[in-house]
Amino acid sequence: MNTDHKATDNAKLSASKPSSASYYALGVLTIVYSFNFIDRQLLAILQESIKVDLDLTDSHLGLLTGFAFAAFYVTAGIPIARLADRSNRRNIVALAVFIWSFMTSISGLAQNFVQLLIARIGVGIGEAGGSPPSHSIISDIFPPQKRATAMGLYSSGVSIGILFGFLLGGWLNEFFGWRVAFVVVGLPGIFLAIIVRFTLSEPKRGQSEARTASATQPSLTEVLSVLWNRPSFRYLSMGAALNAFVGYATANWTASFMIRSHGMSTGELGTWLAVILGLGGAIGMISCGYISDQLGRNDKRWYMWTPMIALLIGIPFAAAAFTVDGKYMALICFIIPGIIMNSYLGNVIAMTHGLVGLSMRATASAVLFFIINFIGLGLGPWSVGILSDLLTPSLGTSALGMALLCIVPPIMVLAALCFYAASRKLRADLTLAPD
Protein backbone atom coordinates (compact mmCIF):
# COMPACT_ATOMS: atom_id res chain seq x y z
CA MET A 1 0.00 0.00 0.00
CA ASN A 2 2.82 2.39 0.91
CA THR A 3 4.54 1.55 -2.36
CA ASP A 4 1.37 2.41 -4.26
CA HIS A 5 1.06 5.74 -2.45
CA LYS A 6 4.71 6.50 -3.14
CA ALA A 7 4.29 5.74 -6.85
CA THR A 8 1.21 7.94 -6.98
CA ASP A 9 3.02 10.79 -5.21
CA ASN A 10 5.98 10.46 -7.60
CA ALA A 11 3.64 10.56 -10.59
CA LYS A 12 1.96 13.70 -9.28
CA LEU A 13 5.33 15.33 -8.55
CA SER A 14 6.51 14.57 -12.08
CA ALA A 15 3.25 15.86 -13.52
CA SER A 16 3.62 19.11 -11.57
CA LYS A 17 6.81 20.04 -13.44
CA PRO A 18 6.00 21.46 -16.88
CA SER A 19 8.48 20.48 -19.59
CA SER A 20 10.17 22.73 -22.14
CA ALA A 21 7.60 21.45 -24.65
CA SER A 22 4.86 22.72 -22.32
CA TYR A 23 6.36 26.20 -22.28
CA TYR A 24 6.81 26.13 -26.06
CA ALA A 25 3.15 25.20 -26.48
CA LEU A 26 2.13 27.97 -24.08
CA GLY A 27 4.24 30.46 -26.06
CA VAL A 28 2.75 29.46 -29.42
CA LEU A 29 -0.82 29.49 -28.07
CA THR A 30 -0.20 32.93 -26.54
CA ILE A 31 0.94 34.18 -29.96
CA VAL A 32 -2.22 32.67 -31.45
CA TYR A 33 -4.33 34.52 -28.89
CA SER A 34 -2.40 37.70 -29.68
CA PHE A 35 -3.33 37.37 -33.36
CA ASN A 36 -6.90 36.78 -32.26
CA PHE A 37 -6.98 40.19 -30.61
CA ILE A 38 -4.88 41.96 -33.23
CA ASP A 39 -7.55 41.04 -35.75
CA ARG A 40 -10.35 41.90 -33.32
CA GLN A 41 -8.90 45.15 -31.99
CA LEU A 42 -7.84 46.48 -35.37
CA LEU A 43 -11.35 47.70 -36.04
CA ALA A 44 -11.28 49.95 -32.95
CA ILE A 45 -8.43 52.14 -34.22
CA LEU A 46 -9.77 52.12 -37.80
CA GLN A 47 -13.44 52.77 -37.05
CA GLU A 48 -13.34 56.57 -37.31
CA SER A 49 -11.92 56.29 -40.85
CA ILE A 50 -14.39 53.53 -41.71
CA LYS A 51 -17.26 55.60 -40.30
CA VAL A 52 -16.47 58.46 -42.66
CA ASP A 53 -15.75 56.25 -45.69
CA LEU A 54 -18.85 54.05 -45.37
CA ASP A 55 -21.13 56.72 -43.81
CA LEU A 56 -21.85 54.82 -40.57
CA THR A 57 -23.28 55.82 -37.16
CA ASP A 58 -21.93 55.00 -33.71
CA SER A 59 -24.66 52.38 -33.38
CA HIS A 60 -23.34 50.73 -36.56
CA LEU A 61 -19.83 50.76 -35.15
CA GLY A 62 -20.98 49.35 -31.82
CA LEU A 63 -22.81 46.58 -33.67
CA LEU A 64 -19.72 45.74 -35.75
CA THR A 65 -17.34 45.63 -32.80
CA GLY A 66 -19.85 44.20 -30.35
CA PHE A 67 -23.11 42.35 -30.77
CA ALA A 68 -22.87 41.13 -34.38
CA PHE A 69 -19.38 39.77 -33.77
CA ALA A 70 -20.21 38.33 -30.34
CA ALA A 71 -23.46 36.64 -31.41
CA PHE A 72 -21.67 34.36 -33.86
CA TYR A 73 -18.55 34.07 -31.70
CA VAL A 74 -20.47 32.67 -28.73
CA THR A 75 -22.91 30.60 -30.81
CA ALA A 76 -20.12 28.74 -32.61
CA GLY A 77 -18.00 28.45 -29.46
CA ILE A 78 -19.94 25.72 -27.63
CA PRO A 79 -20.23 23.16 -30.48
CA ILE A 80 -16.55 23.69 -31.32
CA ALA A 81 -15.64 23.18 -27.66
CA ARG A 82 -17.70 19.98 -27.55
CA LEU A 83 -15.64 18.74 -30.47
CA ALA A 84 -12.43 19.79 -28.70
CA ASP A 85 -13.34 17.76 -25.60
CA ARG A 86 -13.30 14.55 -27.65
CA SER A 87 -10.92 15.17 -30.57
CA ASN A 88 -7.61 16.77 -31.56
CA ARG A 89 -7.52 20.26 -30.08
CA ARG A 90 -4.37 21.37 -31.91
CA ASN A 91 -5.97 20.85 -35.31
CA ILE A 92 -9.03 22.84 -34.26
CA VAL A 93 -6.85 25.77 -33.18
CA ALA A 94 -4.88 25.67 -36.46
CA LEU A 95 -8.05 25.72 -38.58
CA ALA A 96 -9.53 28.51 -36.47
CA VAL A 97 -6.46 30.73 -36.94
CA PHE A 98 -6.63 30.24 -40.70
CA ILE A 99 -10.32 31.15 -40.92
CA TRP A 100 -10.23 34.31 -38.81
CA SER A 101 -7.03 35.57 -40.48
CA PHE A 102 -8.48 35.07 -43.95
CA MET A 103 -11.71 36.85 -43.01
CA THR A 104 -9.74 39.75 -41.50
CA SER A 105 -7.84 40.18 -44.76
CA ILE A 106 -10.96 40.32 -46.90
CA SER A 107 -12.51 42.89 -44.52
CA GLY A 108 -10.40 45.40 -46.44
CA LEU A 109 -12.48 44.72 -49.57
CA ALA A 110 -15.81 45.74 -47.99
CA GLN A 111 -17.69 48.47 -49.86
CA ASN A 112 -20.59 48.95 -47.44
CA PHE A 113 -21.83 48.16 -43.94
CA VAL A 114 -23.38 44.80 -44.84
CA GLN A 115 -20.22 43.48 -46.51
CA LEU A 116 -18.07 44.54 -43.57
CA LEU A 117 -20.62 43.01 -41.18
CA ILE A 118 -20.42 39.66 -43.01
CA ALA A 119 -16.63 39.72 -42.90
CA ARG A 120 -16.64 40.45 -39.16
CA ILE A 121 -19.11 37.61 -38.59
CA GLY A 122 -16.60 35.33 -40.36
CA VAL A 123 -13.86 36.57 -38.06
CA GLY A 124 -16.09 35.84 -35.06
CA ILE A 125 -16.83 32.28 -36.18
CA GLY A 126 -13.12 31.61 -36.73
CA GLU A 127 -12.09 33.06 -33.39
CA ALA A 128 -14.66 30.88 -31.60
CA GLY A 129 -12.36 27.92 -32.24
CA GLY A 130 -9.30 29.48 -30.63
CA SER A 131 -9.66 29.78 -26.87
CA PRO A 132 -11.65 26.77 -25.54
CA PRO A 133 -9.29 24.15 -27.04
CA SER A 134 -6.27 26.25 -26.06
CA HIS A 135 -7.52 26.50 -22.46
CA SER A 136 -8.00 22.74 -22.35
CA ILE A 137 -4.47 22.10 -23.67
CA ILE A 138 -2.92 24.48 -21.11
CA SER A 139 -4.77 22.84 -18.21
CA ASP A 140 -3.37 19.48 -19.34
CA ILE A 141 0.24 20.67 -19.45
CA PHE A 142 0.29 22.93 -16.35
CA PRO A 143 -0.73 21.72 -12.86
CA PRO A 144 -3.35 23.49 -10.72
CA GLN A 145 -0.81 25.35 -8.57
CA LYS A 146 0.71 26.94 -11.69
CA ARG A 147 -2.41 27.17 -13.81
CA ALA A 148 -3.50 30.75 -13.06
CA THR A 149 0.01 31.95 -13.94
CA ALA A 150 -0.07 29.94 -17.18
CA MET A 151 -3.57 31.18 -18.00
CA GLY A 152 -2.45 34.72 -17.14
CA LEU A 153 0.46 34.40 -19.58
CA TYR A 154 -1.87 33.00 -22.24
CA SER A 155 -4.45 35.72 -21.56
CA SER A 156 -1.77 38.38 -21.96
CA GLY A 157 -2.30 37.65 -25.65
CA VAL A 158 -5.32 39.96 -25.30
CA SER A 159 -3.05 42.85 -24.38
CA ILE A 160 -0.30 41.92 -26.85
CA GLY A 161 -2.96 41.84 -29.56
CA ILE A 162 -4.33 45.20 -28.45
CA LEU A 163 -0.77 46.58 -28.48
CA PHE A 164 -0.03 45.53 -32.06
CA GLY A 165 -3.59 46.13 -33.24
CA PHE A 166 -3.44 49.76 -32.15
CA LEU A 167 0.19 50.28 -33.19
CA LEU A 168 0.03 48.68 -36.63
CA GLY A 169 -3.53 49.78 -37.33
CA GLY A 170 -2.87 53.38 -36.33
CA TRP A 171 0.17 53.90 -38.52
CA LEU A 172 -1.01 51.75 -41.46
CA ASN A 173 -4.27 53.70 -41.52
CA GLU A 174 -2.46 57.04 -41.39
CA PHE A 175 -0.14 56.23 -44.30
CA PHE A 176 -2.04 53.67 -46.41
CA GLY A 177 -5.68 53.68 -45.31
CA TRP A 178 -7.90 51.26 -43.40
CA ARG A 179 -8.28 48.76 -46.23
CA VAL A 180 -4.55 48.08 -46.46
CA ALA A 181 -4.40 47.76 -42.67
CA PHE A 182 -6.87 44.85 -42.70
CA VAL A 183 -4.98 42.99 -45.43
CA VAL A 184 -1.51 43.49 -43.91
CA VAL A 185 -2.59 42.45 -40.42
CA GLY A 186 -4.64 39.44 -41.53
CA LEU A 187 -2.22 37.60 -43.82
CA PRO A 188 0.49 36.57 -41.26
CA GLY A 189 -2.09 34.57 -39.34
CA ILE A 190 -2.33 32.12 -42.22
CA PHE A 191 1.35 31.22 -41.74
CA LEU A 192 0.81 30.97 -37.98
CA ALA A 193 -1.86 28.32 -38.62
CA ILE A 194 0.77 26.18 -40.35
CA ILE A 195 3.16 26.55 -37.38
CA VAL A 196 0.45 25.42 -34.97
CA ARG A 197 -0.46 22.39 -37.08
CA PHE A 198 3.05 21.07 -37.59
CA THR A 199 4.98 22.04 -34.42
CA LEU A 200 2.54 21.46 -31.54
CA SER A 201 1.64 18.09 -30.06
CA GLU A 202 -1.74 17.04 -28.71
CA PRO A 203 -1.28 16.39 -24.94
CA LYS A 204 -2.84 13.57 -22.98
CA ARG A 205 -5.85 14.76 -21.03
CA GLY A 206 -5.11 15.04 -17.31
CA GLN A 207 -1.35 14.59 -17.65
CA SER A 208 -0.52 17.60 -15.44
CA GLU A 209 -2.42 16.04 -12.53
CA ALA A 210 -1.52 12.37 -13.13
CA ARG A 211 -5.21 11.71 -13.68
CA THR A 212 -7.04 9.82 -16.40
CA ALA A 213 -10.03 11.31 -18.15
CA SER A 214 -13.25 9.36 -18.36
CA ALA A 215 -13.64 7.39 -21.58
CA THR A 216 -17.18 8.74 -21.92
CA GLN A 217 -17.60 12.39 -22.80
CA PRO A 218 -20.05 14.13 -20.46
CA SER A 219 -23.07 15.59 -22.21
CA LEU A 220 -23.52 19.33 -22.56
CA THR A 221 -26.39 19.05 -20.07
CA GLU A 222 -24.06 17.42 -17.52
CA VAL A 223 -21.46 20.17 -17.93
CA LEU A 224 -24.09 22.89 -17.59
CA SER A 225 -25.52 21.15 -14.53
CA VAL A 226 -22.12 20.98 -12.81
CA LEU A 227 -21.46 24.67 -13.51
CA TRP A 228 -24.93 25.84 -12.55
CA ASN A 229 -24.79 23.93 -9.26
CA ARG A 230 -21.60 25.76 -8.27
CA PRO A 231 -22.64 29.17 -6.85
CA SER A 232 -19.04 30.36 -7.20
CA PHE A 233 -19.21 29.84 -10.97
CA ARG A 234 -22.45 31.78 -11.25
CA TYR A 235 -20.89 34.74 -9.45
CA LEU A 236 -17.44 34.58 -11.05
CA SER A 237 -18.88 34.27 -14.56
CA MET A 238 -21.09 37.31 -14.00
CA GLY A 239 -18.17 39.23 -12.51
CA ALA A 240 -16.08 38.29 -15.53
CA ALA A 241 -18.88 39.29 -17.92
CA LEU A 242 -19.30 42.71 -16.30
CA ASN A 243 -15.52 43.18 -16.20
CA ALA A 244 -15.42 42.31 -19.90
CA PHE A 245 -18.30 44.73 -20.50
CA VAL A 246 -16.20 47.67 -19.31
CA GLY A 247 -13.02 46.24 -20.84
CA TYR A 248 -14.48 45.95 -24.34
CA ALA A 249 -16.34 49.25 -24.05
CA THR A 250 -13.12 50.99 -23.07
CA ALA A 251 -10.86 49.25 -25.59
CA ASN A 252 -13.29 49.71 -28.48
CA TRP A 253 -14.20 53.35 -27.83
CA THR A 254 -11.11 54.95 -26.28
CA ALA A 255 -9.54 55.66 -29.67
CA SER A 256 -12.70 57.34 -30.96
CA PHE A 257 -13.05 59.29 -27.71
CA MET A 258 -9.49 60.63 -27.92
CA ILE A 259 -9.88 61.53 -31.61
CA ARG A 260 -13.19 63.37 -31.09
CA SER A 261 -12.52 65.01 -27.72
CA HIS A 262 -8.79 65.69 -28.04
CA GLY A 263 -8.15 65.76 -31.80
CA MET A 264 -5.41 63.12 -31.86
CA SER A 265 -4.15 61.46 -35.06
CA THR A 266 -4.39 57.66 -35.39
CA GLY A 267 -0.61 57.22 -35.56
CA GLU A 268 0.22 59.03 -32.33
CA LEU A 269 -2.86 57.69 -30.58
CA GLY A 270 -2.18 54.11 -31.68
CA THR A 271 1.30 54.31 -30.17
CA TRP A 272 0.01 55.62 -26.84
CA LEU A 273 -2.80 53.06 -26.61
CA ALA A 274 -0.44 50.24 -27.63
CA VAL A 275 1.66 51.00 -24.56
CA ILE A 276 -1.20 51.79 -22.14
CA LEU A 277 -3.74 49.10 -23.03
CA GLY A 278 -1.34 46.64 -24.64
CA LEU A 279 1.83 46.58 -22.56
CA GLY A 280 0.03 47.70 -19.42
CA GLY A 281 -2.67 45.09 -19.85
CA ALA A 282 -0.12 42.30 -20.31
CA ILE A 283 1.61 43.33 -17.09
CA GLY A 284 -1.74 43.29 -15.29
CA MET A 285 -2.79 39.85 -16.52
CA ILE A 286 0.51 38.14 -15.81
CA SER A 287 0.88 39.81 -12.41
CA CYS A 288 -2.67 39.00 -11.34
CA GLY A 289 -2.25 35.32 -12.22
CA TYR A 290 1.15 35.05 -10.51
CA ILE A 291 0.09 36.89 -7.36
CA SER A 292 -3.07 34.81 -7.12
CA ASP A 293 -1.12 31.54 -7.48
CA GLN A 294 1.24 32.61 -4.69
CA LEU A 295 -1.46 33.82 -2.29
CA GLY A 296 -3.90 31.13 -3.37
CA ARG A 297 -1.69 28.38 -1.95
CA ASN A 298 -3.03 29.28 1.48
CA ASP A 299 -6.46 30.62 0.57
CA LYS A 300 -8.19 30.00 -2.78
CA ARG A 301 -10.34 33.09 -2.26
CA TRP A 302 -7.42 35.21 -3.45
CA TYR A 303 -8.24 34.08 -6.99
CA MET A 304 -11.37 36.25 -6.71
CA TRP A 305 -10.08 38.89 -4.31
CA THR A 306 -7.23 39.92 -6.61
CA PRO A 307 -9.40 41.02 -9.58
CA MET A 308 -11.90 42.56 -7.14
CA ILE A 309 -9.21 44.76 -5.59
CA ALA A 310 -7.86 45.65 -9.04
CA LEU A 311 -11.28 46.89 -10.15
CA LEU A 312 -11.79 49.00 -7.04
CA ILE A 313 -8.40 50.65 -7.54
CA GLY A 314 -9.20 51.43 -11.18
CA ILE A 315 -12.62 53.07 -10.75
CA PRO A 316 -11.53 56.66 -9.92
CA PHE A 317 -8.88 56.63 -12.66
CA ALA A 318 -11.42 55.44 -15.24
CA ALA A 319 -13.83 58.23 -14.26
CA ALA A 320 -11.06 60.83 -14.44
CA ALA A 321 -9.90 59.69 -17.88
CA PHE A 322 -13.23 60.69 -19.45
CA THR A 323 -13.45 64.07 -17.74
CA VAL A 324 -10.01 65.71 -17.41
CA ASP A 325 -8.80 68.45 -19.74
CA GLY A 326 -5.83 67.82 -22.00
CA LYS A 327 -5.08 64.76 -24.09
CA TYR A 328 -1.94 63.73 -22.23
CA MET A 329 -3.58 63.99 -18.83
CA ALA A 330 -6.41 61.79 -20.12
CA LEU A 331 -3.93 59.23 -21.44
CA ILE A 332 -2.09 59.19 -18.11
CA CYS A 333 -5.38 58.53 -16.33
CA PHE A 334 -5.96 55.55 -18.64
CA ILE A 335 -2.74 53.84 -17.43
CA ILE A 336 -4.18 52.25 -14.26
CA PRO A 337 -7.41 51.06 -15.95
CA GLY A 338 -5.27 49.74 -18.81
CA ILE A 339 -3.28 47.60 -16.38
CA ILE A 340 -6.19 46.21 -14.37
CA MET A 341 -9.08 46.06 -16.87
CA ASN A 342 -8.47 42.49 -18.08
CA SER A 343 -6.42 41.14 -15.18
CA TYR A 344 -9.28 38.87 -14.11
CA LEU A 345 -9.16 36.56 -17.12
CA GLY A 346 -6.49 34.02 -16.18
CA ASN A 347 -8.00 33.61 -12.72
CA VAL A 348 -11.56 32.93 -13.84
CA ILE A 349 -10.45 30.40 -16.47
CA ALA A 350 -8.23 28.56 -13.97
CA MET A 351 -10.99 28.43 -11.36
CA THR A 352 -13.59 27.31 -13.88
CA HIS A 353 -11.35 24.40 -14.87
CA GLY A 354 -10.88 23.58 -11.19
CA LEU A 355 -14.64 23.25 -10.76
CA VAL A 356 -15.22 20.68 -13.54
CA GLY A 357 -13.96 17.28 -14.71
CA LEU A 358 -11.08 16.67 -17.11
CA SER A 359 -13.34 15.98 -20.10
CA MET A 360 -15.42 19.07 -19.43
CA ARG A 361 -12.75 21.77 -19.63
CA ALA A 362 -13.05 22.96 -23.23
CA THR A 363 -16.84 22.98 -22.94
CA ALA A 364 -16.65 24.78 -19.58
CA SER A 365 -14.40 27.42 -21.17
CA ALA A 366 -16.87 27.83 -24.01
CA VAL A 367 -19.75 28.28 -21.55
CA LEU A 368 -17.69 30.82 -19.59
CA PHE A 369 -16.78 32.66 -22.79
CA PHE A 370 -20.41 32.54 -23.96
CA ILE A 371 -21.40 34.45 -20.82
CA ILE A 372 -18.40 36.80 -20.95
CA ASN A 373 -18.74 37.66 -24.61
CA PHE A 374 -22.53 37.79 -24.89
CA ILE A 375 -22.71 40.32 -22.06
CA GLY A 376 -19.27 41.91 -22.31
CA LEU A 377 -18.42 41.99 -25.99
CA GLY A 378 -22.00 41.86 -27.23
CA LEU A 379 -23.46 44.62 -25.08
CA GLY A 380 -20.48 46.71 -23.92
CA PRO A 381 -19.44 48.49 -27.14
CA TRP A 382 -23.00 48.55 -28.51
CA SER A 383 -24.51 50.15 -25.40
CA VAL A 384 -21.89 52.90 -25.47
CA GLY A 385 -22.58 53.51 -29.16
CA ILE A 386 -26.34 53.73 -28.61
CA LEU A 387 -26.02 56.11 -25.65
CA SER A 388 -23.52 58.23 -27.57
CA ASP A 389 -25.96 58.60 -30.47
CA LEU A 390 -28.74 59.57 -28.05
CA LEU A 391 -26.55 62.23 -26.39
CA THR A 392 -25.03 63.64 -29.59
CA PRO A 393 -27.86 66.13 -30.40
CA SER A 394 -27.32 67.86 -27.04
CA LEU A 395 -23.61 67.26 -26.36
CA GLY A 396 -22.03 67.05 -29.81
CA THR A 397 -18.48 65.64 -29.77
CA SER A 398 -18.63 65.37 -25.96
CA ALA A 399 -21.38 62.75 -26.17
CA LEU A 400 -19.07 59.75 -26.41
CA GLY A 401 -17.09 60.74 -23.32
CA MET A 402 -20.28 61.23 -21.33
CA ALA A 403 -21.61 57.84 -22.49
CA LEU A 404 -18.41 56.15 -21.32
CA LEU A 405 -18.52 57.99 -17.98
CA CYS A 406 -22.13 56.95 -17.35
CA ILE A 407 -21.48 53.30 -18.15
CA VAL A 408 -17.92 52.25 -17.25
CA PRO A 409 -17.41 53.16 -13.52
CA PRO A 410 -20.81 51.86 -12.28
CA ILE A 411 -20.35 48.52 -14.07
CA MET A 412 -16.86 48.19 -12.53
CA VAL A 413 -18.47 48.43 -9.08
CA LEU A 414 -20.95 45.66 -9.93
CA ALA A 415 -18.17 43.42 -11.27
CA ALA A 416 -16.17 43.83 -8.05
CA LEU A 417 -19.22 42.86 -5.98
CA CYS A 418 -19.69 39.71 -8.07
CA PHE A 419 -16.07 38.64 -7.53
CA TYR A 420 -16.49 39.15 -3.80
CA ALA A 421 -19.64 36.99 -3.81
CA ALA A 422 -17.77 34.28 -5.74
CA SER A 423 -14.94 34.27 -3.18
CA ARG A 424 -17.39 33.32 -0.43
CA LYS A 425 -18.38 30.07 -2.20
CA LEU A 426 -15.17 29.16 -4.05
CA ARG A 427 -13.34 26.96 -1.53
CA ALA A 428 -16.31 24.69 -0.91
CA ASP A 429 -17.14 24.36 -4.61
CA LEU A 430 -13.58 23.39 -5.60
CA THR A 431 -13.81 20.27 -3.42
CA LEU A 432 -16.80 19.02 -5.43
CA ALA A 433 -15.09 18.78 -8.85
CA PRO A 434 -15.86 15.46 -10.61
CA ASP A 435 -13.24 13.35 -12.42
Side-chain angles (χ1 to χ4, degrees), residues 114-267:
V114 173
Q115 291 177 3
L116 186 56
L117 178 65
I118 292 171
R120 298 309 294 174
I121 288 171
V123 174
I125 293 172
E127 291 187 4
S131 285
S134 295
H135 295 166
S136 180
I137 290 172
I138 293 169
S139 282
D140 282 337
I141 58 179
F142 286 90
Q145 65 270 26
K146 296 182 179 180
R147 194 167 290 155
T149 301
M151 289 296 183
L153 285 165
Y154 170 80
S155 299
S156 70
V158 173
S159 299
I160 296 170
I162 290 173
L163 188 158
F164 285 103
F166 277 134
L167 191 62
L168 293 174
W171 288 109
L172 286 170
N173 177 62
E174 191 156 318
F175 287 105
F176 303 105
W178 64 270
R179 297 182 186 278
V180 171
F182 274 122
V183 175
V184 170
V185 170
L187 286 178
I190 295 172
F191 297 100
L192 180 59
I194 297 172
I195 292 173
V196 172
R197 174 61 182 82
F198 292 103
T199 69
L200 291 190
S201 299
E202 173 72 6
K204 179 182 177 182
R205 298 181 195 273
Q207 71 177 43
S208 68
E209 297 148 285
R211 295 164 59 195
T212 301
S214 171
T216 304
Q217 184 189 25
S219 68
L220 177 59
T221 302
E222 290 177 276
V223 179
L224 292 174
S225 177
V226 168
L227 292 172
W228 179 253
N229 287 314
R230 304 295 182 265
S232 60
F233 177 78
R234 298 202 296 268
Y235 288 123
L236 76 83
S237 62
M238 185 53 62
L242 293 173
N243 201 325
F245 187 105
V246 297
Y248 281 118
T250 302
N252 287 354
W253 285 110
T254 296
S256 292
F257 165 71
M258 294 301 297
I259 291 169
R260 295 181 198 180
S261 297
H262 298 286
M264 296 190 73
S265 67
T266 59

Side-chain angles (χ1 to χ4, degrees), residues 15-94:
S16 69
K17 298 178 179 178
S19 65
S20 58
S22 298
Y23 285 105
Y24 172 76
L26 176 60
V28 171
L29 292 174
T30 300
I31 293 171
V32 168
Y33 202 32
S34 301
F35 272 72
N36 182 310
F37 267 81
I38 290 173
D39 294 347
R40 192 184 305 185
Q41 198 61 39
L42 185 63
L43 186 57
I45 193 68
L46 302 179
Q47 63 185 15
E48 287 301 295
S49 297
I50 295 171
K51 179 181 180 180
V52 173
D53 195 10
L54 300 185
D55 193 24
L56 307 182
T57 66
D58 281 353
S59 297
H60 284 135
L61 294 176
L63 192 62
L64 283 172
T65 58
F67 188 78
F69 177 94
F72 287 86
Y73 179 81
V74 300
T75 301
I78 291 179
I80 292 173
R82 297 292 295 159
L83 181 64
D85 270 333
R86 65 175 185 270
S87 62
N88 191 296
R89 293 162 289 182
R90 175 207 57 201
N91 293 348
I92 294 172
V93 173

